Amino acid sequence: MNVTETPAESSVGEAPGEPAAADSAERVRRRGDDSAVLRMSDTEAAEIGGDPRTPDHDQRVLLNMGPSHPSTHGVLRLMLELEGETVLRSKPVVGYLHTGMEKQGEQLSYLQGCTNVTRMDYASPLFTELAFSLATEKLLEIEIPERATWIRMLMCEFNRLASHFLFMASNGMDLGAVGMMIYGWREREEILRFFEKVTGLRMNHNYIRPGGVAADLPDGWQYDVARLLEIIPPRLEEYDKLMTGQPIWRARLQGVGAMAPEEAVALSATGPLLRSTGVAVDLRRDEPYLAYDRVEFDVIVGTYGDSYDRYAIRLNEIRESIRILHQILDMMPPGDYRVQDKKITPPPRARIDESMEALIHHFKIFTEGYKVPAGEVYAAVESPRGELGVYMVSDGSSHPYRMHVRSPSFINLQCLPHLMQYGLIADGVAIISSVDPIMGEVDR
Amino acid sequence: MSGQPDEAEPDGGDDVVSRPESLTRYGAPLTHSHGQVVIHPTRDTWLEVAESARVEGFDHLTDITAVDFLTYEAGRDLPDGVEPERFEVVATLSSMASRERIRMRVQVPEDDPTLPSLFDVWPGSETPEREVYDMFGVVFVDHPDMCRILMPDDWVGHPLRKDFAIGRIPVQFKDEGMRR
C-alpha cells in the first residue's frame, strides 16, 4: 500500500462529519475540492506525496485500497483521502480487467457474440446474453417462440437467485459473518448444478442466443425446479436468523452509506442501489420484456437508501423470484425452443447427414454468420445489478458494427465516493459490498 | 417480446424518416428506430437540448457511448439537415416518472472531436464520458476530470476507433531461440 500525505494548501472547507444539509442533489454536482470524488491522477498523487518540502502538512493521508484487497470484489482499486479513519474523498480506479470485449464484439459474428458477452458479468452471465440477443432480435425483427421466451425467463430468474446468493455470501464475509460465505455458496451451488444440467456449463453458458435458446430443457426439469423451489425458502429463514434480525448485523449496516433518491437518480444509479432509496424502478415491470407482463411479482424498494436496505432488497428479491419461478413452472408452454428460420437457426445435427441444404446452411451459419439489417437499437434488461443495456449498430453485415454494453456495475460504481464520504474506512468495506460490483462487467 | 402490448409504441420508422422536417423535439430533428425515439441535436444545441429534456422529466441519464463511422458502408440513417461526421455520441435518457426513453445522437467531426460535457445537467455522466474519451478520443469540454478510465494513463491511441488495430500476438508453437 502507498501511504502519502497531502499538503495543507489543498485544504478542504469542511471538517469531517456531516455537512449542513443543503439541496441533496447539489452534493453530487460539486466539481471542486468539496466534492466526494477525488479527481486526481496517480502522477499528481505521487507528486504531492513525494515532496518532502511541504512545510505544514495536516493529518490528511492518501491511501490506496486494492486492487487485490479481499473486500474489493476482484480488482477494484480505491484511492482514499483519509483524515484519521474518516474517508473524505475517494476515487474508484478501474480497468485492471479491461480486455477490450466491446472491440472483440466487432470481430465476432452475431452467433459468436454471446460467447463473448457472457464473460462480462460472470455472476449473472445469462442477462448479458439476453440483452445481446434481444438487441439482435430487434434488428432482425423476428419474434421468438413462446417456449423460448419462458425458458429464458426461467433461466434468468434462477440466475438472479444465484447472483443474489453470491451477494449474500460475499456481503456476509465482508462484514465478518464468515459462516454466511458457506451458506451462500451452498445455495448457489444447487442452482449452478441445475444450470449445468440444462446448459452444460456452470457459468459462461452461451445458452441464450439470438433466435431462442441453445437447447430445450432436459427431461424431468420440472422436478429439479420444484425441488429447488422447495429447499430454498427454508434456507432464507436461516438467513433471517443469522443476519436480518441480528443486532450486530443491523448496527454494522443501518445508516451506513446512505443516499437520497435525487442523488441516486442524478448519478444514473439503477438496480437495488436505486431501489434502496425508494425509487420503484424495475424494467421487468416498467418496460416488460420477455413475458414479465404475464407473471405477478412485487418491486421491492427501501426507505433509507443505506447498506441495510440494499441487503434487505436483495433478500426479498430472492423471494419474489421464487414467486415468479412458481408461476413459470405452471405456465411453461410447449413448442419450439428456437425460431424456425433456416437463415438464423442451425439445422439439427441429424438433418446434416441426410440433407445437402442443411449442410450448406450449417456451414454458412458457422463460417459467415447471418446478415442483420442495418440500423441501431438499444435493448435493456433488469439484471441483478441494475439496468443492463446493449446498444448495437449494424451495417448490414454478419458482425455488429458497434456493440456497446451499458453495464450497471460500471455506472453504479460512480456512486461509491458519495456513499463513502465522511464515513469510516471500515464502513467503506460494507458499502463496496452493498453496491455489489462485478469487475468483469465494470472493465469489460 | 411476445405478449407485450405495443399499441402505444410508435411503429418503426420508414414513413417517419421520409418526412423528418415535420417532427422535432426540443428543437432537434426526431426520428424513430425500431420503435425507439431518437433526436439529433447539433454540437451547439447539445447542452440546451439536454437541459430541456431534463426539465421535461428525463431525469436519468442512462448511458453515454459513441460510434466511429469511419468504415461504415451502409447508408447513415440521419434526417435531412444533419451532416454525417465520423463520430457519433449517443446518449440514452429515461424518465423515472413516465418510464419513457429517448436517445440523443450528435455528430462529432474528426478534426475537432470535442463536445460539451453533460456533467452539469446529469452528474452521472462523469464516468461514461471518461469511457468515451478513453475509447474514442472525444474530449468533453468542461468535464471535471477528463482522463482515461479503462486504459493506462500513458496509453497511446483510442482502442474503439476503427483505425486502431486489434493487436494480435502470434502463437509460437516452437521457438528455436528459446531454451526449455
Side-chain angles (χ1 to χ4, degrees):
Chain A
M1 281 189 186
N2 267 330
V3 181
T4 52
E5 291 176 351
T6 56
E9 66 202 27
S10 71
S11 84
V12 181
E14 279 137 343
E18 278 301 316
D23 166 29
S24 58
E26 183 270 330
R27 187 171 77 116
V28 299
R29 292 179 186 278
R30 292 180 196 157
R31 290 167 162 271
D33 285 348
D34 55 346
S35 164
V37 188
L38 180 66
R39 297 189 174 102
M40 184 184 283
S41 73
D42 287 348
T43 327
E44 284 172 285
E47 273 166 13
I48 292 171
D51 189 357
R53 287 164 301 172
T54 44
D56 41 9
H57 51 78
D58 53 16
Q59 296 300 305
R60 220 155 280 163
V61 175
L62 279 184
L63 181 102
N64 267 321
M65 187 167 162
S68 40
H69 190 277
S71 76
T72 54
H73 288 228
V75 285
L76 170 66
R77 174 157 77 95
L78 286 167
M79 265 166 76
L80 302 170
E81 186 187 43
L82 301 172
E83 193 165 294
E85 274 199 69
T86 309
V87 179
L88 297 182
R89 293 183 292 168
S90 53
K91 178 184 188 179
V93 183
V94 301
Y96 292 93
L97 270 187
H98 178 64
T99 46
M101 289 164 110
E102 288 184 5
K103 184 89 173 172
Q104 187 72 37
E106 294 170 5
Q107 323 297 321
L108 300 172
S109 71
Y110 289 93
L111 187 68
Q112 296 166 324
C114 283
T115 332
N116 180 33
V117 295
T118 190
R119 278 154 177 82
M120 290 182 180
D121 183 352
Y122 40 73
S124 53
L126 288 164
F127 289 91
T128 338
E129 293 173 24
L130 178 64
F132 181 89
S133 301
L134 289 179
T136 311
E137 282 155 10
K138 272 188 188 163
L139 284 171
L140 283 167
E141 292 182 335
I142 53 170
E143 282 280 322
I144 65 160
E146 211 179 345
R147 184 174 174 86
T149 304
W150 285 81
I151 294 178
R152 284 177 175 187
M153 274 170 68
L154 175 84
M155 297 300 280
C156 282
E157 285 311 312
F158 266 125
N159 207 172
R160 191 183 311 278
L161 290 186
S163 174
H164 281 350
F165 280 131
L166 184 67
F167 164 80
M168 292 292 153
S170 59
N171 192 38
M173 199 189 67
D174 285 343
L175 296 170
V178 183
M180 197 47 226
M181 186 76 186
I182 311 291
Y183 296 125
W185 286 100
R186 179 185 66 180
E187 271 67 276
R188 181 169 180 262
E189 198 58 39
E190 300 277 2
I191 295 164
L192 293 193
R193 214 168 288 146
F194 175 68
F195 280 171
E196 192 175 1
K197 206 167 176 182
V198 176
T199 71
L201 294 164
R202 285 158 45 87
M203 57 195 290
N204 303 340
H205 310 279
N206 190 19
Y207 180 67
I208 297 174
R209 297 177 188 178
V213 294
D216 206 350
L217 295 169
D219 290 342
W221 63 272
Q222 295 95 334
Y223 302 107
D224 292 322
V225 172
R227 181 183 154 267
L228 283 171
L229 297 185
E230 203 173 303
I231 61 169
I232 291 171
R235 292 188 179 178
L236 295 178
E237 305 291 318
E238 291 178 17
Y239 289 13
D240 275 341
K241 255 186 219 143
L242 186 63
M243 301 189 294
T244 313
Q246 288 299 324
I248 298 175
W249 184 260
R250 285 173 171 252
R252 195 77 170 75
L253 287 180
Q254 282 179 342
V256 170
M259 199 174 201
E262 298 83 14
E263 289 174 350
V265 171
L267 286 171
S268 306
T270 49
L273 184 56
L274 178 60
R275 285 195 287 275
S276 72
T277 63
V279 182
V281 166
D282 189 323
L283 297 184
R284 291 178 294 173
R285 186 197 63 179
D286 300 333
E287 297 167 35
Y289 52 97
L290 298 180
Y292 279 110
D293 48 350
R294 290 172 58 192
V295 292
E296 283 222 350
F297 63 98
D298 291 329
V299 176
I300 313 288
V301 293
T303 318
Y304 302 102
D306 58 3
S307 301
Y308 186 79
D309 275 356
R310 293 192 275 278
Y311 156 76
I313 283 176
R314 290 192 179 96
L315 187 63
N316 284 305
E317 277 185 4
I318 295 178
R319 296 198 165 98
E320 288 307 314
S321 287
I322 289 173
R323 212 172 128 195
I324 297 175
L325 283 165
H326 275 294
Q327 299 171 50
I328 296 174
L329 188 59
D330 293 340
M331 290 160 81
M332 178 68 74
D336 268 327
Y337 62 93
R338 56 184 181 180
V339 69
Q340 285 307 320
D341 182 337
K342 299 277 178 296
K343 295 289 173 209
I344 297 165
T345 314
R349 179 68 189 80
R351 288 280 300 152
I352 298 173
D353 294 338
E354 51 194 42
S355 155
M356 190 63 204
E357 285 72 31
L359 184 65
I360 293 172
H361 275 135
H362 186 274
F363 184 75
K364 281 288 233 185
I365 285 173
F366 281 95
T367 52
E368 195 183 299
Y370 44 83
K371 292 197 166 33
V372 170
E376 46 106 42
V377 82
Y378 178 81
V381 300
E382 183 75 29
S383 101
R385 271 152 271 280
E387 174 174 338
L388 199 159
V390 168
Y391 179 70
M392 201 181 271
V393 181
S394 167
D395 58 352
S397 74
S398 59
H399 299 61
Y401 185 79
R402 168 98 173 95
M403 192 271 302
H404 168 74
V405 176
R406 187 262 183 217
S407 57
S409 301
F410 178 66
I411 311 275
N412 284 352
L413 216 50
Q414 66 184 339
C415 300
L416 212 52
H418 304 279
L419 295 172
M420 286 171 71
Q421 197 179 23
Y422 306 123
L424 296 177
I425 189 164
D427 288 342
V429 174
I431 294 167
I432 298 168
S433 182
S434 76
V435 173
D436 193 20
I438 293 289
M439 297 312 289
E441 185 188 49
V442 172
D443 295 344
R444 282 158 293 149
Chain B
M1 298 203 75
S2 58
Q4 181 183 339
D6 18 53
E7 300 90 45
E9 289 285 319
D11 205 348
D14 292 349
D15 54 331
V16 181
V17 174
S18 63
R19 44 178 174 79
E21 63 282 354
S22 63
L23 278 167
T24 59
R25 194 180 288 184
Y26 315 125
L30 181 143
T31 59
H32 289 95
S33 169
H34 295 275
Q36 299 170 344
V37 182
V38 186
I39 53 174
H40 302 264
T42 63
R43 280 206 292 170
D44 301 331
T45 59
W46 177 245
L47 268 185
E48 249 169 74
V49 170
E51 182 58 39
S52 24
R54 189 182 70 88
V55 171
E56 287 278 307
F58 288 100
D59 46 358
H60 194 269
L61 174 75
T62 311
D63 188 29
I64 297 184
T65 184
V67 186
D68 177 6
F69 281 98
L70 184 68
T71 58
Y72 194 77
E73 277 164 11
R76 303 277 297 272
D77 59 334
L78 294 171
D80 293 345
V82 179
E83 270 307 300
E85 296 286 355
R86 176 171 169 186
F87 297 109
E88 186 174 280
V89 174
V90 185
T92 305
L93 317 177
S94 22
S95 158
M96 289 288 116
S98 67
R99 298 307 302 163
E100 279 175 274
R101 278 177 195 275
I102 195 167
R103 191 154 64 231
M104 303 199 295
R105 285 165 53 188
V106 62
Q107 305 298 316
V108 179
E110 184 182 357
D111 48 15
D112 176 32
T114 57
L115 193 66
S117 167
L118 295 178
F119 182 83
D120 288 330
V121 189
W122 297 281
S125 76
E126 185 171 346
T127 50
E129 280 181 348
R130 278 177 66 193
E131 190 194 358
V132 170
Y133 163 70
D134 194 357
M135 293 293 142
F136 291 91
V138 175
V139 177
F140 290 87
V141 180
D142 213 19
H143 184 281
D145 189 20
M146 194 80 271
C147 61
R148 288 187 184 272
I149 184 162
L150 293 175
M151 305 302 285
D153 282 343
D154 52 357
W155 190 265
V156 180
H158 300 282
L160 277 178
R161 285 189 174 191
K162 287 286 175 180
D163 50 6
F164 187 94
I166 17 165
R168 281 207 176 87
I169 301 168
V171 181
Q172 288 207 320
F173 295 103
K174 211 183 220 177
D175 194 338
E176 295 298 319
M178 269 168 66
R179 290 183 203 105
R180 275 188 292 175

